[in-house]
Amino acid sequence: MESVQVRPAREEDLRSAERASAVLFLEADQSSRRVSEPEIQPRSDAGSKQWIERMRFYLEADPAGCWVAVDESGVEGGGDGGDAGGDGGDGGNVVGFAMSQNRGGVWYLATYGVLTRYQGRGIGRRLMDAVLAHADGRPGLFSSSVHPGATRRYRKAGFLLYPQMRMVGTVDRSTLPAIDGLREGRPEDLEWMDRLDEEIRGAGHGPDHVYMLDRLRLVVSEDLRRPGYAYIDDEENRAVLLAAADPRTAQDLLWEALAASRGETLVNCITTANHWAVDVGLAARLDIGQEGYLALRDMAEPAPYLASGHFL
Ligand SMILES: CC(C)(COP(=O)(O)OP(=O)(O)OC[C@H]1O[C@@H](n2cnc3c(N)ncnc32)[C@H](O)[C@@H]1OP(=O)(O)O)[C@@H](O)C(=O)NCCC(=O)NCCS
């Protein structure tokens, strides 16, 4: 579509990009939902606010990795619904986006989407070309949906797709073991955590750690001869990123996250090299399911590791 331009993202695009993201992921999740799974709910106001806040952070940390597709014809707003996007000349015409970041020698894709009725016309490829040019040949990773356009695009861009499992359910609290050797994390821990990241996935999370530490609970190993850490999102009731030097430490950290959960919980982004997490989930009486892929380029499967969907 000639009226659609792909250009670097700006702060004033974020509201419209958020509307586009909320609408297109709702539609994509609805179309890939299995009948046994609960209905997909629209993104909440708090979720929209968090999305914009996170994109603003990416724009500050590595702006050249953030791209949008905008429809210059003025026909379309940043959403499929009538109220979406109409921001009146302040970037209200976003129809697609690809937000990626370089962290040291590693590149990751944080989020990527094109409005449903704009899909299949090459806009996704143009966005992907832009963010891969920014990667400049770095090894890369991201969490992929099962959307046929997405998986096709990723494989054709040279990524290997590692199927991911997830564990869902309510923890049987009688199974919780006594865990010692863990403590709450502090800003001073970020240095060794970055070194651990480097060993496991090629680069530290750097500023992403600072962002997460501000918003999530951090639990770390006391004994730095067997380092490991996990971020626990108390609102979402689950661990959102876990890294450890050995599977036993990883299992202790995951048990800690499961002990903190109340009601239905989720352990996701489990690739086959991370069956230590499946074993913990099964012991806690959670069920195994499948969920998308970890897409990797020029990188071994990270382990023991549960990637963060947002910061990989
Ligand atoms: C992934 C996505 C961004 C790709 O954007 P797009 O504009 O459709 O991408 P392109 O038009 O460049 O093409 C994608 C490829 O998949 C194909 N494709 C697109 N939609 C498809 C569909 N629904 N079913 C099957 N193939 C599809 C295209 O033909 C194209 O293949 P080709 O280049 O060999 O012809 C978009 O499909 C999307 O937003 N999906 C929903 C959200 C999502 O899953 N995002 C990824 C999160 S990891």
Side-chain angles (χ1 to χ4, degrees):
M1 296 182 89
E2 274 159 38
S3 63
V4 175
Q5 304 298 320
V6 169
R7 62 158 172 77
R10 304 190 282 255
E11 160 81 33
E12 57 269 30
D13 296 319
L14 294 185
R15 264 192 66 201
S16 171
E18 191 283 321
R19 280 297 82 208
S21 158
V23 170
L24 77 90
F25 279 108
L26 180 66
E27 291 173 357
D29 291 347
Q30 279 169 340
S31 67
S32 64
R33 184 183 75 94
R34 297 186 189 108
V35 282
S36 58
E37 291 170 352
E39 288 288 336
I40 310 292
Q41 298 302 321
R43 189 180 287 165
S44 65
D45 289 349
S48 298
K49 227 176 118 203
Q50 280 166 8
W51 193 94
I52 291 176
E53 185 182 70
R54 204 164 50 249
M55 298 309 128
R56 191 170 286 136
F57 164 73
Y58 297 136
L59 263 182
E60 279 165 16
D62 188 17
C66 304
W67 289 74
V68 286
V70 290
D71 187 346
E72 303 288 4
S73 70
V75 175
E76 305 296 344
D80 277 3
D83 63 339
D87 284 355
D90 62 348
N93 50 356
V94 173
V95 299
F97 49 83
M99 305 298 192
S100 79
Q101 299 276 280
N102 289 340
R103 295 284 181 268
V106 166
W107 170 90
Y108 68 80
L109 181 64
T111 186
Y112 173 48
V114 170
L115 279 178
T116 311
R117 67 177 173 282
Y118 284 77
Q119 289 173 13
R121 301 174 187 179
I123 299 170
R125 187 186 52 72
R126 287 159 65 197
L127 285 164
M128 184 55 84
D129 287 348
V131 293
L132 285 177
H134 178 63
D136 197 21
R138 285 173 173 76
L141 75 168
F142 53 89
S143 192
S144 163
S145 68
V146 294
H147 188 278
T151 44
R152 186 175 176 85
R153 192 75 288 140
Y154 300 150
R155 182 64 195 128
K156 288 181 89 175
F159 285 84
L160 283 173
L161 299 173
Y162 292 79
Q164 292 181 141
M165 291 170 278
R166 64 174 177 181
M167 311 284 309
V168 283
T170 301
V171 172
D172 175 347
R173 304 197 70 80
S174 70
T175 66
L176 292 173
I179 300 288
D180 52 20
L182 302 180
R183 63 167 171 80
E184 299 299 306
R186 309 183 274 263
E188 307 84 88
D189 293 309
L190 300 189
E191 204 176 313
W192 66 257
M193 286 164 55
D194 270 335
R195 282 200 301 275
L196 179 63
D197 293 337
E198 247 173 77
E199 280 165 31
I200 296 177
R201 43 86 109 172
H205 282 84
D208 303 336
H209 276 311
V210 179
Y211 186 92
M212 285 184 275
L213 187 60
D214 271 354
R215 291 159 179 82
L216 303 168
R217 183 176 157 223
L218 174 65
V219 180
V220 303
S221 329
E222 252 167 356
D223 181 355
L224 288 187
R225 285 170 304 180
R226 38 178 295 239
Y229 70 83
Y231 287 99
I232 300 171
D233 186 331
D234 289 327
E235 273 173 34
E236 291 212 359
N237 204 28
R238 63 189 184 90
V240 289
L241 169 63
L242 189 155
D246 63 275
R248 213 192 90 209
T249 306
Q251 289 191 322
D252 286 353
L253 288 159
L254 186 54
W255 274 118
E256 179 66 23
L258 293 182
S261 72
R262 295 287 175 267
E264 182 95 348
T265 190
L266 167 71
V267 182
N268 67 355
C269 297
I270 308 173
T271 56
T272 50
N274 288 286
H275 267 83
W276 58 267
V278 173
D279 294 336
V280 171
L282 290 178
R285 305 215 67 84
L286 304 182
D287 300 328
I288 305 179
Q290 278 179 289
E291 184 190 50
Y293 306 88
L294 186 66
L296 299 176
R297 185 176 74 171
D298 298 335
M299 188 186 286
E301 198 178 341
Y305 194 70
L306 301 178
S308 145
H310 299 318
F311 300 105
L312 282 307

